[in-house]
């Protein structure tokens, strides 16, 4: 993998902290103006390491394949449903127009929109928990939401998905 482009921005107002973030393919490192070139090099390397660590922590292995999605569903079923939800298949599908994912309880299949490949892992986990719950309860009644709410980040993930949909102008509803 190629080294990312790095832009260092020095600030006289910044006195102690060093910060880094990505802007497209460029890593921006904000440092105090007083740091030496040697200190700058240290902090650039350190901040790149931290960014990579944080990004890989957020990346779910379930993104890699349909088999990995199915495996993650097994883990989530064990955690939140006592292993009672076992889909026959789980697969990535081209972006859906009105949903993040769908489940067909009759044949125990789950389809997940490709749009979620770049979402944080806790958001993908929420969507999978939501669809797994449909294997036990087909509709969106109170009993369904009671099952889904066992996932601790349910409200946060719903908010994330609503914001993502609104920002992109997709019009995807959160309760499908």
């Amino acid at each position: 993998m190629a080294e990312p482009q790095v832009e260092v921005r020095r600030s006289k107002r910044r006195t102690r902290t060093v910060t880094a973030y990505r802007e497209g393919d460029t890593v921006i490192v904000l440092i105090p103006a007083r740091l030496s070139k040697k200190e700058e090099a240290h902090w650039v390397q350190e901040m790149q390491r931290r960014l990579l660590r944080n990004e890989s922590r957020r990346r779910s292995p379930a993104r890699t394949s349909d088999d990995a999605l199915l495996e993650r569903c097994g883990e989530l079923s064990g955690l939140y449903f006592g292993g009672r939800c076992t889909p026959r298949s789980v697969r990535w599908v081209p972006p859906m127009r009105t949903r993040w994912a769908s489940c067909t309880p009759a044949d125990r299949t789950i389809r997940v929109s490709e749009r979620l490949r770049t979402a944080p892992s806790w958001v993908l986990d929420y969507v999978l928990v939501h669809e797994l719950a449909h294997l036990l309860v087909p509709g969106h009644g109170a009993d369904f939401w009671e099952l889904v709410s066992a996932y601790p980040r349910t409200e946060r993930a719903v908010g994330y998905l609503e914001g993502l949909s609104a920002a992109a102008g997709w019009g995807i509803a959160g309760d499908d």
Side-chain angles (χ1 to χ4, degrees):
M1 188 167 137
E3 281 290 312
Q5 187 171 349
V6 176
E7 180 181 325
V8 176
R9 297 180 185 167
R10 290 175 171 266
S11 170
K12 289 181 182 176
R13 290 188 304 176
R14 183 176 290 275
T15 59
R16 290 188 302 224
T17 61
V18 176
T19 308
Y21 61 91
R22 286 196 189 274
E23 200 171 85
D25 291 334
T26 304
V27 173
I28 309 296
V29 181
L30 308 173
I31 64 172
R34 65 172 174 71
L35 293 186
S36 70
K37 286 291 184 185
K38 184 177 177 181
E39 291 170 314
E40 175 185 313
H42 162 78
W43 281 109
V44 165
Q45 184 178 8
E46 174 64 14
M47 297 312 283
Q48 284 182 296
R49 185 188 64 75
R50 288 182 189 183
L51 270 177
L52 182 61
R53 184 186 69 218
N54 288 339
E55 289 168 353
S56 62
R57 230 188 249 151
R58 279 183 256 152
R59 224 175 277 131
S60 170
R63 299 171 205 276
T64 58
S65 68
D66 293 349
D67 289 338
L69 265 181
L70 182 61
E71 185 177 326
R72 184 63 182 152
C73 281
E75 293 167 1
L76 293 169
S77 175
L79 282 170
Y80 300 107
F81 304 108
R84 297 178 297 155
C85 304
T86 20
R88 187 173 54 79
S89 72
V90 185
R91 61 189 173 96
W92 291 105
V93 296
M96 300 178 187
R97 289 183 327 155
T98 60
R99 299 177 179 187
W100 296 111
S102 64
C103 176
T104 306
D107 65 6
R108 305 186 72 72
T109 59
I110 295 173
R111 290 151 311 285
V112 181
S113 174
E114 290 273 350
R115 286 186 170 129
L116 292 173
R117 277 202 196 251
T118 58
S121 59
W122 54 271
V123 174
L124 178 57
D125 281 354
Y126 158 74
V127 171
L128 294 174
V129 165
H130 181 109
E131 299 309 324
L132 287 168
H134 281 307
L135 295 175
L136 300 173
V137 179
H140 287 105
D143 49 349
F144 169 81
W145 287 109
E146 186 177 331
L147 287 172
V148 173
S149 68
Y151 181 67
R153 292 184 168 180
T154 293
E155 285 185 43
R156 187 173 174 206
V158 168
Y160 179 95
L161 292 169
E162 287 173 352
L164 180 62
S165 177
W170 292 331
I172 297 176
D175 64 353
D176 290 338

